[in-house]
């Protein structure tokens, strides 16, 4: 039986509101983010979830705690492999600051590639799916991780150009017993006018 993995992006932080790149910097939720986590939980009631897991970063883990409490699930468990993509020297920068410092094409020191994100996150989540055959699991993670997995699974057909994985969104993947992934529910929206994904 296939396992459903629903990857939820954490709620908003102050850096999200300022359009700053967070990466591995451990920024907490703000009040808007906590409200988004609650809204996400309410929208997830349509399924009977059997467990919830989270990136160890505090913005993801608090989102998972809020969702778990609302859905009456056990406390979330941390999965280090789904922590946010490392953005190196552009962490903390806005789009304008990033372009001013590195341009659009310059290689960013310390930037983790999307392939490396997939290489650490997908095997961990596939193993989790195999431990819970036929179940429906929630994983609270980050835009960089969810977007990288989505691009890998869909051969870069999703997300479309200028779409982004918004705070509190839920995208569902189906994982077969043989480890094949497919995207079964898609929730990426048109990006902000100043949004530009890091390659």
């Amino acid at each position: 039986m296939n396992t459903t993995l629903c990857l939820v992006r954490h709620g908003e932080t102050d850096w999200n509101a300022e359009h700053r790149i967070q990466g591995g910097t451990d920024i907490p939720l703000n009040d808007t983010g906590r409200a988004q986590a609650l809204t996400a939980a309410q929208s997830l009631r349509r399924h009977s979830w059997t467990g919830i897991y989270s990136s160890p970063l505090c913005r993801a883990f608090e989102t998972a705690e809020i969702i778990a409490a609302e859905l009456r699930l056990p406390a979330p468990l941390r999965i280090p492999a789904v922590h946010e993509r490392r953005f190196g020297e552009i962490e903390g920068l806005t789009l304008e600051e990033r372009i001013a410092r590195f341009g659009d094409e310059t290689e960013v020191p310390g930037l983790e590639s999307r392939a490396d994100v997939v290489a650490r996150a997908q095997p961990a989540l596939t193993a989790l799916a195999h431990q819970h055959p036929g179940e429906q699991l929630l994983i609270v993670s980050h835009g960089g991780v969810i977007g990288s997995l989505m691009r890998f699974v869909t051969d870069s057909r999703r997300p479309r150009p200028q779409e982004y994985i918004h705070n509190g969104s839920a995208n569902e993947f189906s994982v077969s017993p043989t480890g094949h992934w497919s995207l079964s529910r898609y929730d990426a929206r048109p990006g902000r006018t100043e949004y530009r994904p890091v390659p």
Side-chain angles (χ1 to χ4, degrees):
M1 296 178 65
N2 287 7
T3 300
T4 296
L5 301 180
C6 181
L7 272 69
V8 180
R9 188 183 176 200
H10 62 81
E12 184 187 85
T13 70
D14 286 347
W15 275 23
N16 287 141
E18 296 167 5
H19 310 311
R20 294 189 180 277
I21 298 167
Q22 292 179 111
T25 307
D26 207 3
I27 306 299
L29 294 181
N30 59 24
D31 288 342
T32 297
R34 295 182 185 96
Q36 289 170 334
L38 185 60
T39 298
Q42 293 164 350
S43 73
L44 291 165
R45 290 185 184 279
R46 67 187 183 281
H47 287 316
S48 296
W49 306 103
T50 52
I52 184 166
Y53 301 81
S54 174
S55 156
L57 294 175
C58 67
R59 58 189 182 271
F61 195 75
E62 185 178 359
T63 300
E65 288 181 314
I66 292 168
I67 293 172
E70 185 69 15
L71 299 183
R72 298 184 178 180
L73 292 170
L77 299 175
R78 293 176 174 86
I79 302 180
V82 299
H83 68 75
E84 179 58 301
R85 182 183 182 190
R86 297 180 182 90
F87 285 88
E89 292 188 15
I90 59 174
E91 288 194 16
L93 303 185
T94 64
L95 174 63
E96 292 78 11
E97 291 167 343
R98 166 189 142 196
I99 291 173
R101 188 172 302 182
F102 295 102
D104 277 345
E105 304 299 331
T106 305
E107 184 173 337
V108 175
L111 174 65
E112 185 179 19
S113 71
R114 291 191 184 278
D116 285 344
V117 173
V118 171
R120 63 171 163 83
Q122 191 188 28
L125 292 176
T126 299
L128 181 67
H130 288 166
Q131 292 163 15
H132 299 273
E135 296 185 26
Q136 300 183 97
L137 306 175
L138 294 166
I139 296 94
V140 181
S141 188
H142 307 268
V145 175
I146 299 169
S148 296
L149 287 168
M150 193 180 293
R151 286 174 174 86
F152 178 77
V153 170
T154 67
D155 293 325
S156 296
R157 292 189 298 273
R158 299 288 188 278
R160 298 180 181 95
Q162 298 308 310
E163 285 184 328
Y164 79 113
I165 312 299
H166 58 97
N167 295 105
S169 64
N171 290 273
E172 291 177 19
F173 297 83
S174 180
V175 183
S176 75
T178 62
H180 174 74
W181 281 57
S182 58
L183 179 64
S184 51
R185 182 173 182 270
Y186 175 63
D187 186 16
R189 299 179 184 174
R192 302 176 295 265
T193 55
E194 73 277 12
Y195 173 77
R196 188 178 305 171
V198 179

